[in-house]
Structure formats: C-alpha cells, structure tokens
Amino acid sequence: MLPLRRKSRPERAQRAASPPRKSGPPNSLFGEILDWMLAPLLFLWPISIIVTHNVADSIANQPYDLALADGVRALSRLVQVEDGQVVVRFPAPPRALFRADQDDVVYYQVADEHGVTLSGDVEIPVVTPPATLAGEDVLLRDGMIHGEEVRVAYRFVSPHPAQLDRLVLVQVAETRNKRTDLASRVVTGVLLPQFAIIP
C-alpha cells in the first residue's frame, strides 16, 4: 500500500488563491449591459409616466381655460345695476349662450357680495374676493359639483354703472370630460412609442 503524499505548503497556498470556477456559461456582453440598464429603467419608468401625465394635464387645460375665461368676461359685461338692484341682461336665453355639449356640462353664476345667487346655478361654490382686483384678470380653480370634478373660471366685477362699493362674483364652470380625454390621448401618444423603443 502506497503512502499518502501530503500536499506541500506552496500547493495549498496556490489552490486557496485560485478563484472558484463558476458553474454554467459566462454572461454575454449583452447580458451585462442589460443587467446595468434594467434597474434604472424600472426606476425611471414610473417617474416618466407621472411627469407625462402632469404635462398632458397642463396641455389639456390651456385651451379650455381660455374658453372659460372668455365666457366669464362676456358674462361680466351683461351685469348691470337698475334701480339699485343688480340684474343680468341676457341678449338670448342663458342656456343658448352657455351651451353644453355631449361630453360636458356648463354652469354659470352671478352672485352678490353676500354670496346670494342673483342668476344662474346655485351649485357653484362661492369664494371670497382677493385682496387686490386687477382689471380683466380671470382666476381659475378646481371644484366639485354633484360629485363631479369641474374647472371654474371666476372674477369679481363692479356692475355697470360702476359702483366701487359693490362687487359681483361672476363664475362659469365646466365638467372635465373633454380635458381628461385630451390628456389621455397625449399620454397614449407619448407612452406607446416608448413601449416600442425600450425593448
């Protein structure tokens, strides 16, 4: 029986220093690049969706906000004082001026300084006047009417003939269906190409 040969110290040191062999084939260059890119893509993808949605909302609001503001200015010119009373002189039925379409409902309101509705829809919440009033400026805000989101354009005016001690709140509100539809189309137009490009 042959005696067992003990490994010399240099042989043991060489085996300890050599790295263990990996089982399976080594990663390809494409696999390494994919590993490095996958984590940032998964992190940036939700952020991209949020940013795109916010930009789309802003784009969708702009044209409809301008139309609402024009409606408020037109309604403001119809507010007058007759025999000490504030009245609204419509050249046509109000619903013909503020037409609703198949997508959205339009509301309007003229209220006195105490929040009492003089004409229009009482459902629009009244607001207090700002500290300073600037000419033809129209303010915008979001609100709720009958449990549905609306966009409200409003301004405080002094009725004709001008009475500086008397302010009238003029508001026009519209549901947000067209805005939401336009924003969804913008988001879809941006994200669909990303689905095709990223893979």
Side-chain angles (χ1 to χ4, degrees):
M1 184 173 181
L2 296 176
L4 294 175
R5 186 177 69 89
R6 298 184 62 184
K7 295 179 181 179
S8 62
R9 182 173 297 179
E11 287 177 339
R12 291 198 301 269
Q14 184 178 1
R15 174 167 292 188
S18 61
R21 293 183 179 181
K22 293 182 179 180
S23 60
N27 287 339
S28 65
L29 179 60
F30 178 78
E32 294 290 339
I33 295 175
L34 185 60
D35 288 343
W36 281 100
M37 292 181 63
L38 188 59
L41 282 176
L42 292 177
F43 174 73
L44 293 175
W45 180 254
I47 297 177
S48 173
I49 294 175
I50 294 172
V51 172
T52 301
H53 191 273
N54 290 337
V55 172
D57 280 341
S58 177
I59 293 173
N61 274 329
Q62 288 177 0
Y64 296 114
D65 282 351
L66 290 175
L68 275 183
D70 289 341
V72 168
R73 294 188 183 97
L75 182 57
S76 300
R77 290 191 286 269
L78 305 178
V79 179
Q80 301 177 4
V81 175
E82 295 182 0
D83 298 328
Q85 300 294 323
V86 177
V87 296
V88 184
R89 292 298 181 189
F90 289 101
R95 291 306 173 190
L97 298 177
F98 301 100
R99 290 189 299 272
D101 52 36
Q102 61 181 359
D103 297 316
D104 285 300
V105 179
V106 178
Y107 305 87
Y108 81 96
Q109 181 191 81
V110 178
D112 64 14
E113 64 269 26
H114 304 295
V116 177
T117 300
L118 305 175
S119 178
D121 304 291
V122 298
E123 293 88 352
I124 306 178
V126 297
V127 293
T128 56
T132 58
L133 299 175
E136 291 288 316
D137 283 357
V138 176
L139 305 175
L140 294 155
R141 74 179 193 275
D142 296 318
M144 298 286 292
I145 297 179
H146 300 310
E148 191 171 8
E149 292 185 357
V150 294
R151 185 72 164 166
V152 185
Y154 66 101
R155 65 184 295 231
F156 290 87
V157 298
S158 182
H160 180 79
Q163 297 186 2
L164 297 179
D165 61 339
R166 197 167 196 175
L167 291 176
V168 175
L169 172 62
V170 179
Q171 301 192 95
V172 177
E174 183 181 47
T175 53
R176 301 182 61 95
N177 297 327
K178 289 194 296 288
R179 300 166 188 260
T180 302
D181 181 63
L182 179 56
S184 297
R185 283 185 284 159
V186 172
V187 171
T188 302
V190 173
L191 293 184
L192 279 182
Q194 292 185 15
F195 276 116
I197 292 172
I198 289 179

